[in-house]
Amino acid sequence: MFQPLVELSPTERRQIVTLPPTIAKLTDVKHLVLYGSNLVRIPPEIGAMTNLEEFTPYTSHRLHWFPYELTRCRQLKASTVSTRSLYGNFKIRPPFPPLQPGRASIRDLDISDLDPKVWGTDVIQACSVCSRPIAEAGLYQVWISLRVGTDTLPLLVNACSPACIDTLPIPPDGYVPTPHTGGSGIAQPRADYS
Ligand SMILES: [Zn+2]
């Protein structure tokens, strides 16, 4: 079990809004515990934690979405997520923020120094779907809701091409049925208060 935030003081813990990309090296970790964190995003590198079986970001109320790379953690069976905080959650249907328009080239974009408030991460290296270097391709970001571990999670995809978006799985019933770019134009199924 790995609980990177436990030894921090409450003040230190509040300052930590993301995890470093070096989490990619934690390939032996089976259970990642981020209980009560102030995290606002998890980097795509979590996809390299290939032995992850259990993911516990519970009561991290600022964590509204996860990187699509989480689906690469094939052993992941259990998650404990504060689902009411999630974009698209079926009880409340918080709206998905609008994403940037897709672009066929990233010439005008420094993908090693992005504004995470706009792009969801500060560095995008590879396509979330096919792993092709984004530097050689375009960048098309979409949201998709998929079952991961125990929950249906909103995932951010950094795709290199529309073709990679076309290969994404079909979301479960009760969620926006296709990948989408968020914003007010996206109609979600009605909230289920029951
Ligand atoms: Zn791709």
Side-chain angles (χ1 to χ4, degrees), residues 145-156:
S145 298
L146 293 174
R147 182 119 179 151
V148 180
T150 317
D151 301 296
T152 298
L153 303 180
L155 304 172
L156 178 61

Side-chain angles (χ1 to χ4, degrees), residues 127 129-130 132 160-161 164:
C127 173
V129 182
C130 75
R132 177 155 76 129
C160 71
S161 61
C164 271

Side-chain angles (χ1 to χ4, degrees), residues 24-26 40 59 142 167:
K25 295 182 183 153
L26 302 175
V40 298
T59 67
V142 288
T167 66

Side-chain angles (χ1 to χ4, degrees), residues 107-188:
R107 259 197 317 266
D108 306 328
L109 195 64
D110 182 357
I111 54 168
S112 63
D113 185 24
L114 297 166
D115 178 355
K117 291 194 175 70
V118 177
W119 298 94
T121 181
D122 39 18
V123 179
I124 300 176
Q125 296 193 340
C127 173
S128 304
V129 182
C130 75
S131 301
R132 177 155 76 129
I134 287 289
E136 299 170 7
L139 180 55
Y140 299 81
Q141 287 192 310
V142 288
W143 297 112
I144 189 167
S145 298
L146 293 174
R147 182 119 179 151
V148 180
T150 317
D151 301 296
T152 298
L153 303 180
L155 304 172
L156 178 61
V157 183
N158 301 317
C160 71
S161 61
C164 271
I165 292 173
D166 286 345
T167 66
L168 290 170
I170 295 170
D173 284 347
Y175 292 87
V176 179
T178 57
H180 62 89
T181 52
S184 55
I186 298 301
Q188 296 195 55

